[in-house]
């Protein structure tokens, strides 16, 4: 794949230089442990997203390895933190909705594509009004580590050395005040992944308010 990208995207006179620049990185590359081939599934999912077709899938959950069946409205394919993900809305009549934290949330559920055991694109279409369409860019701004959950508004203090890193990690973050190197910020985030990130910052971050 790298060779094809270089051949197709780099001028011929620079291809040898680019190949040498990335050779060490390619040599030490370690593929994800799932070792699952899913390009055909991803193509079918992309077609379903484009044509607004329902899908039915057997999905192996990460927390207990249990395989569940879901009927979904697929809306996007995303890549983040080494994995490809499907974002989709659960079918309104799916009985498993009662086990979800947020039934009528404006954001979809997230599924790792390599965990899809069986996929069927149904000959059944769904409609999402233009005003309610899924915005991938807005979704990415608010999610950390591709964990689902509720939409939250946080206010927190940051006393570390580089507030720019916080603003880059949380694109919705805004600096409210700064005093003696301690910043008070607000951010809108989606899902439970934000808690993992907050813990990774140790004493440098203190949550003041969560809504």
């Amino acid at each position: 794949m790298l060779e094809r990208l270089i051949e197709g995207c780099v001028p011929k006179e620079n291809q040898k230089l680019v190949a040498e620049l990335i050779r060490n990185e390619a040599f030490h590359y370690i593929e994800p442990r799932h070792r699952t081939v899913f390009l055909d599934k991803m193509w079918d999912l992309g077609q379903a997203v484009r044509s607004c077709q329902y899908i039915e899938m057997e999905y192996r959950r990460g927390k207990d390895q249990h395989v569940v069946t879901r009927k979904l409205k697929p809306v996007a394919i995303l890549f983040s933190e080494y994995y490809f993900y499907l974002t989709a809305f659960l079918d309104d009549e799916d009985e498993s909705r009662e086990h979800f934290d947020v039934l009528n949330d404006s954001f979809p559920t997230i599924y790792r594509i390599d965990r899809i055991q069986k996929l069927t694109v149904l000959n059944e279409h769904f409609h999402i009004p233009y005003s309610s369409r899924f915005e991938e860019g807005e979704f990415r701004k608010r999610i950390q580590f591709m964990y689902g959950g509720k939409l939250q508004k946080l206010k927190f203090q940051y006393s570390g050395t580089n507030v720019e890193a916080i603003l880059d990690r949380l694109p919705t973050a805004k600096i409210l005040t700064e005093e003696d190197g301690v910043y008070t910020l607000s951010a809108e985030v989606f899902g439970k992944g934000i808690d993992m990130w907050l813990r990774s910052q140790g004493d440098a971050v203190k949550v003041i308010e969560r809504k």
Side-chain angles (χ1 to χ4, degrees):
M1 187 180 292
L2 284 173
E3 290 174 357
R4 299 233 175 164
L5 284 171
I6 292 172
E7 290 175 3
C9 303
V10 180
K12 192 169 183 178
E13 61 271 19
N14 295 332
Q15 289 181 6
K16 183 177 179 181
L17 173 61
V18 172
E20 289 176 355
L21 288 172
I22 66 173
R23 182 176 297 151
N24 187 63
E25 188 75 17
F27 178 78
H28 291 287
Y29 170 74
I30 300 174
E31 65 178 296
R33 294 181 184 274
H34 62 74
R35 298 179 181 274
T36 303
V37 178
F38 52 83
L39 284 178
D40 288 344
K41 284 191 181 81
M42 195 154 65
W43 176 261
D44 291 341
L45 288 169
Q47 295 290 89
V49 169
R50 186 171 180 270
S51 57
C52 295
Q53 285 179 264
Y54 279 95
I55 64 168
E56 189 170 89
M57 69 178 187
E58 294 179 5
Y59 182 78
R60 178 175 51 81
R61 297 192 303 204
K63 59 182 178 181
D64 57 11
Q65 302 300 300
H66 184 63
V67 176
V68 296
T69 300
R70 295 280 183 265
K71 182 180 178 182
L72 303 167
K73 305 172 187 176
V75 292
I77 294 173
L78 304 173
F79 179 81
S80 178
E81 309 289 344
Y82 307 108
Y83 303 114
F84 285 94
Y85 293 88
L86 168 70
T87 52
F89 291 99
L90 198 65
D91 179 47
D92 296 338
E93 299 179 1
D94 194 316
E95 295 178 358
S96 63
R97 288 175 63 83
E98 64 187 51
H99 302 296
F100 283 68
D101 292 337
V102 187
L103 297 185
N104 299 311
D105 192 32
S106 58
F107 289 97
T109 308
I110 305 163
Y111 302 90
R112 254 176 55 181
I113 292 179
D114 60 276
R115 289 181 179 162
I116 298 176
Q117 306 291 292
K118 183 179 178 181
L119 173 69
T120 304
V121 178
L122 304 177
N123 190 25
E124 183 181 351
H125 295 261
F126 60 89
H127 173 68
I128 297 178
Y130 183 79
S131 60
S132 303
R133 70 192 186 283
F134 178 67
E135 295 281 2
E136 293 178 43
E138 294 301 314
F139 183 72
R140 280 189 175 276
K141 289 178 185 178
R142 290 165 172 78
I143 193 162
Q144 302 293 314
F145 305 117
M146 287 294 167
Y147 276 77
K150 298 179 180 180
L151 188 65
Q152 308 175 61
K153 291 183 179 180
L154 298 179
K155 184 184 289 186
F156 61 95
Q157 287 183 334
Y158 174 71
S159 56
T161 57
N162 186 6
V163 73
E164 285 186 1
I166 304 299
L167 298 174
D168 289 338
R169 183 68 194 186
L170 305 175
T172 62
K174 297 178 181 178
I175 297 174
L176 302 178
T177 62
E178 184 274 327
E179 186 175 349
D180 297 328
V182 178
Y183 294 85
T184 300
L185 303 97
S186 66
E188 190 176 63
V189 295
F190 172 73
K192 302 174 183 178
I194 186 62
D195 295 319
M196 294 176 58
W197 179 82
L198 289 169
R199 288 195 293 270
S200 74
Q201 300 304 300
D203 295 336
V205 170
K206 179 182 178 182
V207 176
I208 301 171
E209 186 178 87
R210 187 193 296 256
K211 295 181 180 178

